[in-house]
Amino acid sequence: MIQRVPIAPNGPSFSKLIYGTWRILDDAATATAEDLLRRLHQCLDLGITTVDTAEIYGLYKVEEFIGETLKKEPGLRDKLEIVTKCGIYVPCEFHPERRTAFYNAEASRLVKSTEKSLRLMGIDHIDLLLVHRPDWLTGADETAAGLNKLLKDGKIRAAGVSNYNVHQFELLNSRMDQPLVTNQVEFSLLHMDPIYDGTGDQCQRLGIKPMAWSPLGKGALMDSTQPASARIHAKCAELGAKYDGATVDQLAYAWIMAHPSQPLPIIGTNKLDRLIATAKSAGIRLEREDWYALWTAAKGHGIP
Ligand SMILES: NC(=O)c1ccc[n+]([C@@H]2O[C@H](COP(=O)([O-])OP(=O)(O)OC[C@H]3O[C@@H](n4cnc5c(N)ncnc54)[C@H](OP(=O)(O)O)[C@@H]3O)[C@@H](O)[C@H]2O)c1
């Protein structure tokens, strides 16, 4: 059973693996409320209680789809922690007037988007709201005012950010009434920036856990025709037996979770069998040399 852990000193508790919904409308075969309901039940059986979504997913259609699914089973929402994000606006069928894609993290925009997310998902609070990307045109006081208001009004239980660098995080955090609880960043064997750019260190200093998006490199890690993935697959084939037959994806999630900032990987599969298989990764404790061997395989060279 996957454990739940506090994501920050006074933050909510989330499951160590999180179910991601970016792609849930991409595959017609699984884009039904019944199928999503099956996956959510599977998640709960595995101990995955946290679901990650965003206003923009499915070009603004995913949250509504989640709402339709939750409506099918009263009580289901109370068994889940719902994370959503806002702040990215692109031209789409609902907004043909938009001339370009832009970020907006002004207070009024955050409030409006959150109220829309609540309405579309048919819920009365969001467990964690993230500013999806830093908006270069909005000051920290303004963004913090929106998040602080949403917290005060009980519309969100916690606030965080996504894709912020350490300086942007520090600045916004300094203006918050209640500290930010996470930074959701891209982190995988194919994208290791959080190890080097200070994100992992900042999270450790603050005692918060990052959320790791695209833990399989948007699927590229599973494609062994790509050179880095081929090297990782070869190393995983060697290591698998030592870790009770662990597969490439399981070792890749375990590699992320081994980082001392204790990242929570966000699982992106629409397939039930792949979802079930992820659970094993939470029990894998990679030995130091195996972790570095995977780093080496991913990079194609040894440590500096
Ligand atoms: N904050 C942000 O800016 C941001 C950005 C991107 C994503 N996210 C979050 O992170 C979540 C995960 O991102 P992601 O979907 O890119 O994750 P990912 O796990 O890196 O990639 C998922 C892709 O890999 C495929 N896949 C998964 N397991 C596989 C396996 N065992 N063998 C072969 N292919 C496999 C999936 O296809 P199948 O469905 O066919 O298995 C899917 O196409 C998203 O749902 C979203 O919640 C956040």
Side-chain angles (χ1 to χ4, degrees), residues 24 56 108 231 260:
I24 59 173
I56 193 180
S108 61
R231 291 191 302 269

Side-chain angles (χ1 to χ4, degrees), residues 227-247:
S229 303
R231 291 191 302 269
I232 294 166
H233 282 234
K235 184 49 71 182
C236 288
E238 217 180 290
L239 294 176
K242 182 169 171 185
Y243 294 99
D244 189 28
T247 53

Side-chain angles (χ1 to χ4, degrees), residues 22-23 52 162-163 184 214 216 218 269-271 274:
W22 180 24
R23 303 173 191 275
D52 180 74
S162 182
N163 305 301
Q184 185 179 123
S214 292
L216 302 179
K218 307 185 180 86
T269 186
N270 284 324
K271 304 215 161 62
R274 290 178 177 172

Side-chain angles (χ1 to χ4, degrees), residues 215-285:
L216 302 179
K218 307 185 180 86
L221 205 141
M222 303 311 294
D223 175 6
S224 57
T225 63
Q226 301 190 24
S229 303
R231 291 191 302 269
I232 294 166
H233 282 234
K235 184 49 71 182
C236 288
E238 217 180 290
L239 294 176
K242 182 169 171 185
Y243 294 99
D244 189 28
T247 53
V248 175
D249 50 330
Q250 291 165 346
L251 290 169
Y253 296 130
W255 186 89
I256 294 170
M257 288 190 273
H259 189 265
S261 62
Q262 303 173 46
L264 310 178
I266 314 175
I267 309 300
T269 186
N270 284 324
K271 304 215 161 62
L272 201 62
D273 56 338
R274 290 178 177 172
L275 174 62
I276 295 168
T278 63
K280 183 171 173 176
S281 58
I284 299 174
R285 301 280 170 271

Side-chain angles (χ1 to χ4, degrees), residues 2 24 45 61 97 99 104 109 133 149 182 203 223 281 300 302 304:
I2 290 161
I24 59 173
D45 288 350
K61 290 181 183 161
E97 78 288 356
R99 287 170 284 121
N104 186 346
R109 181 67 254 185
R133 293 229 168 227
K149 177 170 171 42
T182 194
C203 287
D223 175 6
S281 58

